[in-house]
Amino acid sequence: RKILVLVGLLIALFVLVNYVALPIYVNHQGTLPVPNVTGLTMEQARSALSQVGLEPVLADTRPIPDEPPGNVVFQNPGPQSIVKQGRRVYLTVSGGEVLVAVPQLRGRSMRDAKFALERFGLKLGGVTFEPSSQYPENTIVAQSVPAESNIAKGSRVAITVSSGASGGGATAWQ
């Protein structure tokens, strides 16, 4: 009988704490919906969140080519979530396009150049042949984008290839 009374008191205490005391404690500052700040610049998002009493936190920067750098692309908690005033809202912003450094292609074979470009996420563009007394036949003598330049990942780099010292005139290959 004492055990049943003790179990009953424990259940009553649990219900009282869980459904009365905790909600009062959690909601004592009030709740509010989180505004949608995706698509805004980081500064605009900070301002909008601060105005309603939320704390913006930069959580991550991701390379997203379709979004301008500095724009918010994701927020946690999400828009219209009901949160306590003063809550942190974690923001992920776009870093823009992924830029890669162009490798030095001069002096390499076409095959080697193609592999080097692919390693950096670039593509071989047009190929032009011209005579060269300085470089042996089938060696790259020039490239359309200077080495170490930063360009968007996936871009094409055209090359000029030696056709040897006597050459045969300039020709192009696509």
Side-chain angles (χ1 to χ4, degrees):
R1 182 165 161 92
K2 286 183 181 181
I3 291 177
L4 287 177
V5 170
L6 184 61
V7 169
L9 283 174
L10 286 176
I11 291 173
L13 181 64
F14 172 78
V15 168
L16 181 68
V17 169
N18 194 47
Y19 293 103
V20 177
L22 282 177
I24 290 171
Y25 173 74
V26 169
N27 295 325
H28 79 280
Q29 285 183 325
T31 59
L32 59 124
V34 177
N36 183 3
V37 295
T38 57
L40 301 178
T41 66
M42 185 62 188
E43 288 309 311
Q44 292 169 331
R46 275 192 177 124
S47 176
L49 292 170
S50 296
Q51 284 177 4
V52 296
L54 298 172
E55 183 183 342
V57 176
L58 176 60
D60 194 11
T61 301
R62 293 185 184 164
I64 301 174
D66 302 337
E67 282 289 330
N71 275 14
V72 176
V73 293
F74 180 74
Q75 69 183 70
N76 184 24
Q80 303 309 311
S81 297
I82 303 299
V83 297
K84 195 173 159 183
Q85 192 167 1
R87 166 85 191 259
R88 289 183 179 150
V89 178
Y90 297 93
L91 306 172
T92 300
V93 299
S94 170
E97 283 188 299
V98 177
L99 298 179
V100 293
V102 177
Q104 175 63 264
L105 302 177
R106 188 178 307 134
R108 296 182 178 200
S109 69
M110 278 182 37
R111 181 174 185 250
D112 188 27
K114 185 176 181 193
F115 289 136
L117 290 170
E118 287 174 357
R119 261 194 313 272
F120 286 87
L122 300 170
K123 298 176 184 172
L124 183 61
V127 179
T128 304
F129 293 86
E130 67 178 38
S132 172
S133 57
Q134 185 180 2
Y135 291 94
E137 190 174 354
N138 294 323
T139 303
I140 296 171
V141 297
Q143 59 195 74
S144 63
V145 181
E148 302 305 318
S149 297
N150 290 320
I151 62 174
K153 194 173 186 176
S155 297
R156 293 187 174 275
V157 178
I159 58 174
T160 303
V161 179
S162 170
S163 58
S166 58
T171 57
W173 176 82
Q174 291 286 338

